[in-house]
Amino acid sequence: MSKKTFLGMRPCTWVFVLLVTLTFVTFYIGEQQMGGLTIALFVLGIAMIKGHLVGAYFMGLGGLRGLWRWPVSVWLIIPGSLITTAFILAR
Amino acid sequence: MTQAVDAINLNTVNRYPPGDLAIWIFILAELSVFAAFFGAYAFTRMNNVALFNEFQLHLDREAALINTLALITSSYFVVRAVAAIKDGHHLICSRWLVAAMGMGAVFLVVKVGEYAHHFGQGINLSTNTFYMFYLSLTVFHFMHVIMGMVILAAVAIKAKKGGYNATEHTGVETGASYWHMVDLVWLILFPLVYVMR
């Protein structure tokens, strides 16, 4: 984990704050019972971003070179594509 | 000779993920299973949209929010534990891991509360397709949280005894990687099952 700080906080702390913020956005959408393809894909997009942040910054894959940089990102694409396809076909 | 060693280090540093490589094979296998589960949920929902939308509203989103925050926080604590051991602070590392386990415990308690509510209403795997998926997915994930906490406990105990240091801490990174995987899966599960409609 990098010890460089931005505004006095480590990168992992910024990522933590971002993850919490995005979680509240998802929760708000759920509480408003917003539905439809656009909203569903927006929520899924938020989940993909959160997953990428966990893989890159928490798991430490973001700083790697070579193939091991990508497994989490590739994994996110697989369920992401399946879910997107299913929600589009469900319209 | 030194130049040759430096060249080797340059080629190997930051090429492999943190922790034991074997845990990453295990993590990828686990993620594949969950990806299949998520796909099955989404494609089954495709033919049962009204049913899934109706019963999704019966779930406790506030409990899911608390659980999501608990897992994100625990993952953050684990990151701090890894940073601490890299700095050679084995006791601080152990404390961060215990804090992470505390947040894991919060997740388990809240989830048990949810299950108690559902089971109290007579809901089980046979109630309908939505609950079959909801219970299967979340219980499967629940088992992974328990497994992750056992791993974190083992690592925390060894760290407290000084079993890891700034140069040898593969075990801490291995446990951390598994725990982050548990968090990662929930970050997809939460919106898919509780929010997307």
Side-chain angles (χ1 to χ4, degrees), chain A residues 41-61:
Chain A
L41 295 185
F42 178 70
V43 170
L44 183 62
I46 290 175
M48 297 288 114
I49 292 169
K50 288 166 71 179
H52 177 75
L53 289 171
V54 168
Y57 291 92
F58 283 8
M59 291 177 132
L61 301 180

Side-chain angles (χ1 to χ4, degrees), chain B residues 29-184:
Chain B
E30 294 276 27
L31 288 177
S32 301
V33 173
F34 275 106
F37 241 136
F38 293 152
Y41 174 95
F43 278 96
T44 305
R45 177 190 175 277
M46 195 174 77
N47 296 317
N48 302 276
V49 174
L51 175 91
F52 274 57
N53 283 353
E54 179 190 345
F55 285 96
Q56 185 186 62
L57 294 177
H58 294 208
L59 300 182
D60 187 345
R61 267 190 305 276
E62 288 180 6
L65 170 70
I66 293 168
N67 275 346
T68 308
L69 296 175
L71 283 188
I72 289 172
T73 306
S74 71
S75 248
Y76 173 70
F77 288 167
V78 166
V79 172
R80 298 302 300 265
V82 172
I85 199 63
K86 282 182 175 176
D87 286 339
H89 304 307
H90 66 92
L91 285 177
I92 296 174
C93 169
S94 178
R95 285 173 196 147
W96 278 116
L97 290 173
V98 169
M101 288 165 56
M103 297 312 291
V106 168
F107 178 95
L108 294 179
V109 168
V110 171
K111 206 72 205 137
V112 165
E114 271 188 272
Y115 290 143
H117 175 72
H118 292 312
F119 295 147
Q121 291 184 321
I123 293 166
N124 56 47
L125 286 170
S126 307
T127 300
N128 61 40
T129 313
F130 174 79
Y131 277 118
M132 190 274 287
F133 270 105
Y134 164 75
L135 290 172
S136 304
L137 261 171
T138 57
V139 168
F140 191 47
H141 179 266
F142 186 90
M143 308 284 274
H144 283 75
V145 176
I146 293 173
M147 177 72 174
M149 287 183 66
V150 170
I151 293 171
L152 289 185
V155 173
I157 291 168
K158 187 172 176 181
K160 189 177 182 184
K161 291 178 178 172
Y164 301 109
N165 55 50
T167 53
E168 177 40 56
H169 48 261
T170 306
V172 180
E173 291 180 329
T174 300
S177 299
Y178 184 87
W179 189 255
H180 294 315
M181 183 271 290
V182 172
D183 180 28
L184 177 65

Side-chain angles (χ1 to χ4, degrees), chain A residues 1 3 10 13 16 23 27 30-31 33-36 40 43 47 51 54 58-59 64-65 68 75 82 86-87 89, chain B residues 10 13-14 16-18 31 35 42-43 45-46 57 61 72-73 76 79-80 83 87 180 184 187 191 196-197:
Chain A
M1 184 182 66
K3 284 184 184 174
R10 298 168 187 240
T13 307
F16 169 69
T23 297
F27 174 72
E31 281 299 279
Q33 297 178 16
M34 295 180 192
V43 170
V54 168
F58 283 8
M59 291 177 132
L64 301 183
R65 285 178 295 164
W68 280 105
W75 177 76
L82 291 172
F87 270 73
L89 293 175
Chain B
L10 196 64
V13 167
N14 291 335
Y16 294 100
L31 288 177
F43 278 96
R45 177 190 175 277
M46 195 174 77
L57 294 177
R61 267 190 305 276
I72 289 172
T73 306
Y76 173 70
V79 172
R80 298 302 300 265
D87 286 339
H180 294 315
L184 177 65
L187 292 184
M196 290 173 67
R197 49 193 293 108

